[in-house]
Every structure is written in structure tokens, then in C-alpha cells.
Amino acid sequence: MRLALSMLTACGLAALLAGCGSGFAGGNVTTVPSVVVLTEGPSGNTNDFFVSPGGTAPLGVSAIAYEGGGVNPTIIPDELFTWAARYVNPLTDPPGIATYTVGPSPNGFKTCPAMPTFLPPVPILQQRGSGTPSTLYPGYTVLPANQAAVQVFIGAVPGVTAPYCLVIQATSVTGAVIGAHNVVVSSSP
């Protein structure tokens, strides 16, 4: 993840999307990514992924596949990802999963809240898709298992009211390279 964040810091997400380095190289997706980075929807934020338990819109999460490293990575265009999400258990998960960053001010690390005792499935959503309609978010449906997508949406899990963390994971269809990020569901992260 540090490699991915340093690439974004060095080049800037806007520059990457505009073609930093060799940028968008077209063609069929046959290149195995070096790294997969998750960003917060169109804003390109790579740090703060927060959702309000009583919010009216889920958080958009996009995945970007890169080949190479350093300050000149190449975005792999048209790469698709399968998605998964689960609850974070701060008592058993390693610190890289059991903590999250806050920022820009004050910035630093916080530990995820205790895992809820009631653990319904974590829905990963899509806009106006063919899956089961979301009970909390009108216009969104549950992404069918193994359906590949570049962007998904994640929100509060129906029926869970206490603060908690989720870890969302995108796995590239080409090469099965994984990118993951915590999503904090809380009124005051």
C-alpha cells in the first residue's frame, strides 16, 4: 500500500488520470498489475473512507490497476475487479487492518471500534444494477457474487447501529492482484 500511496503522492491522482508517465495505454487487458489502489469515488481520496450509519448515500469506491512503480507507473486501462468486504476485528486483525487514518487535520491513526456482535452480510452495491435492491439506499442494488466492476458502493450494513470498520477488497481479474482499504462506519470517525 505504501508503494501505491507514494505513486499517488509523487504524481498526484489528477496527473495520473490525465496520463502521468506513459498513462492510458489502450488495448486488451493482458498485463498483470503490480499494484491495485482503491480510491474514494471520483474524488481520488486514498486515505479517509467514512460512511455515516444514518447516511442517505453509500460511499463510491473505485479500483485502479498499475503496472510498474516509482513516479511513472502505468495505469492499466479497462482492468476489472471482483469485490469482497468483511467486518474488521481489532482484537485479531493485524494493525494494518485494525487501524485507519484520519486527516488532513488532525491526521494520524485510530483503532477500529470493537466488531459488532450482530454480523449480517456486508452488501457491496452498484447503481441501478440487476442485483437485489438495497433496503437502505434506493437506486442501488447488491452486486452479484463474482460480477466484475471498476467502481462499487459501500454503505452502512442494515441492522448494525454501533460504529464499526469494514475492509473492502478489490481483486484484479487479470493476475488476481489484491487492493484493500478500510471503511469506517461511524457518526464521528
Side-chain angles (χ1 to χ4, degrees):
M1 191 61 155
R2 280 194 179 142
L3 170 66
L5 291 176
S6 66
M7 290 188 309
L8 289 174
T9 302
C11 209
L13 184 61
L16 283 172
L17 294 176
C20 176
S22 49
F24 294 93
N28 293 333
V29 179
T30 58
T31 303
V32 175
S34 302
V35 67
V36 172
V37 176
L38 301 187
T39 65
E40 181 185 337
S43 74
N45 184 354
T46 59
N47 289 332
D48 303 333
F49 284 42
F50 300 120
V51 175
S52 172
T56 58
L59 175 73
V61 178
S62 298
I64 303 170
Y66 294 97
E67 176 187 22
V71 296
N72 274 334
T74 301
I75 292 175
I76 301 172
D78 303 325
E79 179 63 64
L80 294 173
F81 306 87
T82 55
W83 296 83
R86 69 169 178 83
Y87 297 91
V88 172
N89 185 342
L91 300 176
T92 59
D93 282 327
I97 294 174
T99 60
Y100 60 95
T101 58
V102 292
S105 180
N107 61 7
F109 291 93
K110 288 188 174 183
T111 300
C112 286
M115 190 166 74
T117 54
F118 174 60
L119 300 174
V122 178
I124 298 172
L125 307 172
Q126 60 184 342
Q127 281 186 312
R128 296 176 282 286
S130 60
T132 306
S134 169
T135 57
L136 287 180
Y137 303 105
Y140 293 86
T141 60
V142 176
L143 184 73
N146 297 320
Q147 180 176 324
V150 173
Q151 182 181 38
V152 297
F153 298 83
I154 192 156
V157 177
V160 182
T161 56
Y164 55 97
C165 289
L166 302 169
V167 62
I168 187 166
Q169 171 183 305
T171 304
S172 65
V173 171
T174 308
V177 177
I178 297 171
H181 205 294
N182 279 4
V183 176
V184 181
V185 182
S186 175
S187 295
S188 58

